[in-house]
Amino acid sequence: MKLTSWFVICYNNKVKGTVRNLLWACAAAVLLGLPLSGQTVDDLLTGLQGSFASKDVAAYAGVFSPEIRERESAAMSTYLNKWRMNQVLFHRATRDPDKEGEPGIFLQVFFQNDDSAVLEIWRVTFAKAGDGWRIRTKEVMGNITALYKIRIPSGRVERAARVEIRHQDILITFQDAWIFHDNIEDQETALVVIGRGQFHFSPSSDTEKHQLELRYRKNFIQDSLEYGYFRFSDSFFRSHITIDKAPPEKTPTLSQADSNRAYSLFTRYYPNSFTIENSLTGGRLSFIPRGDQAVFELKGKKTGDVAYIYSPFSDDEIHFVGRNPDQVINLYTPEIKGEEGLKSFFVSFGEKFDVRRCDVEVDFQPDKRYLSARARIEVSAQIDAVENLKFNFHPDFEILRIYDQDGRELFYTLDKQRKLLYIYFIKPLEKNATGAIEIYYRGAIEPPGLIQDVISGGQYNETISFTEPRYDTFLYSQSAYWYPQPAEEDYFLASLHFSIPPGYTCIANGELVEQGRLEAVRRVMTLEKVGNALYHFETKFPVKYLSFLVGRLDRISNGNGGGPIGIQGYVASEIRAQRKGLVEDARAIVQNYSAWFGPFPYEKLDIVQRLWPTTGGHSPASFIVLNELPRIPNAPPLVTANSPVDMPRFREYYLAHEIAHQWWGQAVTWERYRDQWLSEGLSQFAAALHVRAKFGEEAYAGILKKFSQWTERLADWGPITLGSRLSYLNFDAYQAIVYDKATVALNMLRDLIGEEAFFRGLRGFFEKYKYRPARTNNFIQAMEQTSGRDLQAFFKGWFDTHVLPEIDTAHEILKRGDAYIVKIRVNQTRGNFVFPLWVQWEENKKTVRKMMEIGAATQEFEFPAAFRPAKIKINPDKLVPGNFK
């Protein structure tokens, strides 16, 4: 099949953009009735800019028609006098196609001075005026966007005898300090404080106190400070910051060294919060925090660089972060004092827009890791008027142009620190209306490490070095930000087109609907692309992010028979030993999971076996990647052993875990990091279930025993609901708790409510939240519905705390007539957990097992026996982690 015309390559866009702009200037002039010689649109706008800069109100207003001249004169005066703007810049979008017979253009209008900037979107039409033209009508679209150019030092400096900053769980004080204010008049929004200071931070959450104890051996932090950088709103300043000025006689002269240090600190910290870069001037601009939003950057003597961030518009309001590198230390919402377990009131504004579809065309050069791409994203508005869109996007990409669905060029800003792209509509998108944007971009980015829907296993011992093998596969997934990725968890359909060099194979989300070669081009600049392989994938089911892999791959099986979906195996060319029976194993796993959880949720399943420095894999929608460690000839594997998640006896383990992510992590995903176990825990449990189905109860019990042992060893690092945060201090603990402890807890839940109700609950949960993010409470509700019982206590004990039960047990054998009674007493000495506890004994050379449901501090159980019991064991398989005596 030949594909010759569908692919757009972005190529030499600087040249192409210049030509396009010249062509548009001519087309617009003809459209608007403006002469190609004499006064043009650009001449008119240049005149406006000049008269504004010279503060010539009459000349500025004279460009407009008499009907609106007085209004525009007043508007200019407002910008000159009230807002103190001294410059205006115009950037033209294309024509407005909405009003037939009344052609006009859209303008992005950027007013600015040394301290601030205002962005407006104008729609203007023109009228003939003698030998020239005037603006006949002007309509301002949407809300005005006000931004600031903050700088420190600004000239506002004072000496303070004492500074106090108090907020929620933190207290910061300085003595004899220099305070450097920002340059924004009439409001306070930023400070640099240099002097003798200290801070005291004590989380109101017991779980977060425990996290501090693990890191600092105290449940609070108290440290000396050298300086602080603070961002906040004017109302926050007045409510939470107190400055006692030093008397004049005790105020030293500000040294140049202190002034230089303030500038250095501001330059260092300013990009970290509330700042963006804009597409019109490329400069850095800032927006003012809202309400109690605040960021404190602190330099502690012992703690080093840390940040206290308060964000009242998120689930977890307080972020206490370590810098160098950035790492969350505490993340929580403060509890209301005097009301244990209650959180402060939180208002969620919900999702502003829903991504309906994402179509991406990519030319990828593997040797340079270089992408040239066009992404078209279709959205629908969920609120009354959507004025801008927010995406995760890699800051190293060069954005060439962004257009709306009508071909009008759009204004955008970048928050490079957080890898966020904001795109501003010319006309707000009304509720339930659908709109689209097109983004042309290019750049070189390395495939990053993966952080989601991943299991990592053994890796090479770092103390042993050898010639590095060739890793000739390139995987770009959610953590690469290789396309404009919804900043909020979202599901959408997609079409993916790729052009890659000959000899490479492409794997991506969705079904491969076309494949061919680029054999004809219309542009000289794309001649080097002739011979490229072309791939076109379409998703039939919604995905939560887009991924693709390019590598030199060999097909190892067509795998299209014997099941409801096609399963295709590939192996990287650098791997000499292919995994035998890979597709057959995958088909058996899919068959089991479909019966337990529900039908396979995607079009197909591609499996790629590649060489990589760590084992494990990654599981995007509709394909999985399995890593194989390089091997040195005639040498044993040089890998770290004893991973919490590994099951080396079973070759299908990694494959089963990654396939499970197609259900848990992809089709149903977690809404917050606290719900991450819904991906990793359920996938780990699914892999253990597959081992049970294939190898029997003994093999399954052995796996759970290992997981229980790892849980006992590392449970103190935190609860399951801390999710990925556990990995910041101890990666083994993260795996032992989120993967293993969750698996053990799910097995206990299965015992408690019965296998039939348990799997019915799993299927119901999957069906209800398919192609949606879910929370732990949603899972609990599904299990309560199918079991008909309250499970809150069970989940609180096993998922929300780091504590494990401590149990004292005693048993005795009673003789009653011709029968025997096994009497068991169970006493919980730590906590009050709900769990199934098995007891086992031998009776007439037969093994008898009984389950006791534990849910109170002290309980007694009696079991009849026909023959005298022997070898009584409580928790015989050690499937319940904890301290049993």
Side-chain angles (χ1 to χ4, degrees):
M1 182 181 298
K2 297 180 181 180
L3 307 179
T4 59
S5 61
W6 58 263
F7 198 81
V8 178
I9 303 176
C10 320
Y11 345 23
N12 194 343
N13 269 278
K14 290 185 178 179
V15 175
K16 183 179 177 183
T18 301
V19 173
R20 183 180 62 241
N21 288 341
L22 290 173
L23 292 174
W24 164 241
C26 296
V30 172
L31 170 72
L32 298 171
L34 302 181
L36 294 177
S37 61
Q39 188 188 43
T40 66
V41 171
D42 288 334
D43 293 335
L44 185 147
L45 298 179
T46 301
L48 271 179
Q49 290 178 179
S51 58
F52 190 92
S54 63
K55 300 184 179 180
D56 189 340
V57 177
Y60 180 89
V63 175
F64 295 87
S65 64
E67 294 81 5
I68 62 172
R69 194 168 294 162
E70 183 177 349
R71 183 189 73 184
E72 295 307 315
S73 176
M76 179 183 179
S77 297
T78 297
Y79 275 109
L80 289 173
N81 301 321
K82 181 179 178 180
W83 293 91
R84 299 179 184 177
M85 299 296 168
N86 54 32
Q87 185 183 20
V88 63
L89 301 174
F90 294 95
H91 182 78
R92 285 192 300 155
T94 55
R95 68 185 179 90
D96 177 9
D98 297 333
K99 299 184 179 180
E100 295 184 7
E102 193 179 345
I105 64 172
F106 282 95
L107 298 173
Q108 295 162 352
V109 186
F110 195 73
F111 296 95
Q112 63 177 336
N113 58 26
D114 292 341
D115 299 329
S116 60
V118 171
L119 174 69
E120 292 184 349
I121 307 294
W122 293 0
R123 182 190 183 276
V124 297
T125 61
F126 299 88
K128 186 73 174 174
D131 295 333
W133 299 87
R134 291 194 180 100
I135 296 177
R136 188 174 71 82
T137 64
K138 187 195 88 174
E139 180 184 4
V140 179
M141 314 298 297
N143 294 324
I144 296 173
T145 302
L147 300 164
Y148 294 87
K149 302 175 182 178
I150 294 176
R151 64 179 183 276
I152 294 177
S154 66
R156 292 199 297 148
V157 184
E158 62 180 323
R159 184 74 172 183
R162 188 175 188 274
V163 180
E164 179 178 297
I165 303 171
R166 183 185 296 273
H167 183 262
Q168 294 286 1
D169 298 338
I170 193 168
L171 173 64
I172 304 167
T173 59
F174 285 92
Q175 308 290 332
D176 300 321
W178 283 112
I179 300 179
F180 296 82
H181 296 261
D182 64 29
N183 56 306
I184 308 303
E185 294 186 10
D186 303 325
Q187 61 177 320
E188 298 286 354
T189 182
L191 294 176
V192 170
V193 182
I194 300 174
R196 293 185 297 110
Q198 64 177 9
F199 79 96
H200 183 277
F201 172 67
S202 178
S204 56
S205 161
D206 289 339
T207 296
E208 299 302 327
K209 279 184 168 69
H210 180 68
Q211 289 297 299
L212 287 185
E213 284 185 296
L214 292 171
R215 188 183 291 258
Y216 301 113
R217 298 184 181 179
K218 294 181 179 179
N219 63 10
F220 65 92
I221 298 176
Q222 186 163 323
D223 200 0
S224 300
L225 291 174
E226 299 177 19
Y227 57 75
Y229 170 78
F230 306 91
R231 285 300 312 273
F232 40 74
S233 67
D234 189 63
S235 62
F236 183 99
F237 175 83
R238 301 184 191 286
S239 301
H240 300 286
I241 300 178
T242 303
I243 299 173
D244 297 330
K245 292 185 178 181
E249 65 272 14
K250 293 186 178 182
T251 300
T253 302
L254 176 66
S255 68
Q256 188 61 48
D258 282 334
S259 183
N260 291 343
R261 191 180 189 195
Y263 174 77
S264 176
L265 293 173
F266 173 76
T267 303
R268 175 183 176 184
Y269 291 115
Y270 178 52
N272 289 356
S273 55
F274 307 108
T275 61
I276 55 177
E277 294 182 13
N278 72 90
S279 60
L280 296 184
T281 67
R284 183 171 284 128
L285 298 170
S286 178
F287 54 92
I288 302 299
R290 295 180 295 164
D292 265 11
Q293 280 183 310
V295 174
F296 306 159
E297 300 278 1
L298 307 172
K299 174 69 171 181
K301 184 177 181 180
K302 293 179 290 187
T303 55
D305 288 307
V306 294
Y308 174 90
I309 302 167
Y310 185 71
S311 178
F313 308 109
S314 61
D315 278 346
D316 292 302
E317 297 175 355
I318 290 179
H319 303 58
F320 191 74
V321 180
R323 302 296 196 189
N324 303 320
D326 284 349
Q327 192 175 89
V328 173
I329 299 172
N330 294 111
L331 185 59
Y332 65 100
T333 292
E335 295 179 354
I336 300 174
K337 292 182 179 180
E339 298 186 44
E340 184 179 355
L342 295 179
K343 303 292 186 180
S344 60
F345 184 67
F346 168 71
V347 178
S348 173
F349 294 98
E351 190 179 31
K352 289 171 55 178
F353 64 92
D354 177 53
V355 176
R356 304 275 296 273
R357 186 173 184 85
C358 184
D359 299 331
V360 185
E361 298 176 359
V362 177
D363 175 75
F364 179 58
Q365 302 175 42
D367 57 334
K368 300 177 182 177
R369 283 61 157 175
Y370 195 90
L371 292 85
S372 300
R374 177 183 73 91
R376 184 182 188 277
I377 302 170
E378 182 181 313
V379 302
S380 62
Q382 305 296 296
I383 61 175
D384 287 340
V386 174
E387 296 185 328
N388 59 76
L389 307 176
K390 181 173 74 171
F391 299 98
N392 293 120
F393 195 62
H394 202 292
D396 289 348
F397 280 129
E398 175 191 7
I399 297 176
L400 302 168
R401 288 289 186 273
I402 301 179
Y403 299 101
D404 66 11
Q405 69 270 22
D406 296 316
R408 299 173 296 209
E409 193 169 345
L410 301 180
F411 173 77
Y412 65 88
T413 58
L414 282 167
D415 181 344
K416 290 190 174 182
Q417 185 76 16
R418 291 165 183 77
K419 299 183 179 180
L420 291 174
L421 169 65
Y422 297 87
I423 300 171
Y424 299 84
F425 281 120
I426 286 176
K427 297 173 66 175
L429 195 63
E430 299 303 320
K431 187 173 184 179
N432 299 325
T434 300
I437 58 166
E438 251 183 11
I439 306 176
Y440 292 82
Y441 59 97
R442 62 187 176 189
I445 60 171
E446 290 289 333
L450 301 167
I451 59 174
Q452 188 172 318
D453 307 313
V454 173
I455 187 169
S456 297
Q459 61 183 3
Y460 275 95
N461 188 323
E462 295 178 359
T463 65
I464 301 174
S465 61
F466 52 90
T467 303
E468 184 176 349
R470 180 168 61 95
Y471 302 116
D472 204 12
T473 54
F474 308 91
L475 175 60
Y476 289 86
S477 196
Q478 88 292 343
S479 56
Y481 301 130
W482 66 272
Y483 69 99
Q485 187 173 311
E488 306 295 334
E489 201 70 71
D490 210 339
Y491 280 84
F492 51 87
L493 297 174
S495 174
L496 301 170
H497 293 83
F498 297 94
S499 170
I500 59 176
Y504 284 91
T505 299
C506 183
I507 306 294
N509 309 112
E511 184 178 7
L512 179 62
V513 295
E514 282 186 291
Q515 182 178 352
R517 300 177 69 84
L518 185 64
E519 296 184 2
V521 294
R522 298 181 180 180
R523 300 179 180 90
V524 173
M525 65 189 73
T526 58
L527 281 176
E528 75 276 9
K529 306 298 180 186
V530 172
N532 269 15
L534 305 178
Y535 289 82
H536 175 195
F537 298 87
E538 290 280 348
T539 66
K540 296 179 181 178
F541 304 99
V543 297
K544 68 173 184 175
Y545 59 77
L546 301 178
S547 307
F548 74 94
L549 179 144
V550 170
R552 299 186 186 276
L553 306 177
D554 298 321
R555 182 177 294 181
I556 58 177
S557 171
N558 65 22
N560 290 321
I565 62 164
I567 301 178
Q568 177 67 63
Y570 296 87
V571 62
S573 59
E574 61 265 30
I575 293 181
R576 297 179 181 177
Q578 298 178 6
R579 184 180 297 188
K580 295 181 180 179
L582 185 65
V583 172
E584 291 73 16
D585 288 342
R587 187 173 292 114
I589 293 167
V590 169
Q591 184 176 355
N592 280 337
Y593 291 172
S594 297
W596 297 333
F597 313 140
F600 186 80
Y602 293 104
E603 307 87 348
K604 49 83 175 173
L605 181 63
D606 289 336
I607 305 169
V608 180
Q609 184 185 0
R610 68 167 178 171
L611 202 64
W612 207 246
T614 61
T615 59
H618 178 49
S619 183
S622 75
F623 74 97
I624 65 174
V625 180
L626 299 176
N627 299 332
E628 300 286 348
L629 288 169
R631 297 179 183 178
I632 302 174
N634 303 318
L638 306 175
V639 298
T640 56
N642 203 23
S643 161
V645 297
D646 198 4
M647 292 185 266
R649 288 179 52 201
F650 309 103
R651 69 173 190 176
E652 303 95 335
Y653 162 59
Y654 284 121
L655 178 64
H657 182 99
E658 297 304 341
I659 291 178
H661 275 310
Q662 299 295 305
W663 282 264
W664 311 117
Q666 287 301 332
V668 174
T669 193
W670 39 281
E671 187 167 327
R672 310 164 303 163
Y673 77 92
R674 296 183 183 277
D675 310 305
Q676 190 184 11
W677 74 271
L678 290 172
S679 172
E680 298 300 351
L682 278 169
S683 293
Q684 187 81 333
F685 179 62
L689 286 176
H690 176 72
V691 170
R692 176 189 180 218
K694 184 171 182 178
F695 297 101
E697 292 291 345
E698 185 176 348
Y700 178 67
I703 290 172
L704 290 177
K705 181 179 179 180
K706 174 186 175 178
F707 289 175
S708 181
Q709 290 170 341
W710 274 103
T711 298
E712 290 176 356
R713 190 183 308 175
L714 297 173
D716 195 52
W717 289 92
I720 292 172
T721 49
L722 273 190
S724 58
R725 284 179 55 193
L726 294 162
S727 66
Y728 301 157
L729 294 178
N730 188 320
F731 188 77
D732 280 351
Y734 161 66
Q735 291 190 320
I737 295 167
V738 175
Y739 292 65
D740 295 353
K741 184 181 178 183
T743 297
V744 171
L746 287 168
N747 180 70
M748 288 190 286
L749 179 63
R750 181 178 66 90
D751 281 346
L752 276 180
I753 68 175
E755 188 146 323
E756 190 277 332
F758 179 80
F759 283 106
R760 184 156 44 87
L762 278 182
R763 288 190 293 271
F765 174 69
F766 176 74
E767 184 60 33
K768 183 174 182 178
Y769 291 96
K770 186 161 57 175
Y771 312 128
R772 292 170 56 190
R775 294 194 175 197
T776 300
N777 280 341
N778 303 137
F779 183 85
I780 296 173
Q781 290 165 4
M783 289 300 176
E784 287 180 333
Q785 184 176 355
T786 59
S787 66
R789 56 182 293 176
D790 187 341
L791 298 172
Q792 296 297 321
F794 172 83
F795 278 90
K796 182 178 180 180
W798 292 105
F799 285 76
D800 291 336
T801 70
H802 67 276
V803 175
L804 294 179
E806 292 184 357
I807 308 293
D808 286 338
T809 64
H811 68 269
E812 58 181 322
I813 301 172
L814 305 176
K815 186 77 164 60
R816 290 182 182 173
D818 295 332
Y820 294 88
I821 299 293
V822 178
K823 186 176 182 179
I824 300 173
R825 181 182 178 87
V826 180
N827 182 37
Q828 297 198 54
T829 61
R830 186 187 189 191
N832 190 10
F833 291 82
V834 175
F835 59 94
L837 181 60
W838 289 89
V839 58
Q840 175 182 302
W841 65 81
E842 288 187 8
E843 187 178 326
N844 195 27
K845 297 183 180 182
K846 292 182 180 180
T847 299
V848 177
R849 290 173 63 91
K850 300 291 183 179
M851 190 189 85
M852 302 176 287
E853 183 174 324
I854 309 302
T858 301
Q859 291 173 266
E860 291 186 352
F861 301 86
E862 292 186 356
F863 300 100
F867 300 90
R868 184 175 183 84
K871 299 180 180 180
I872 297 175
K873 295 179 181 179
I874 298 174
N875 197 20
D877 302 312
K878 301 187 183 302
L879 302 188
V880 179
N883 185 10
F884 285 82
K885 299 178 183 179

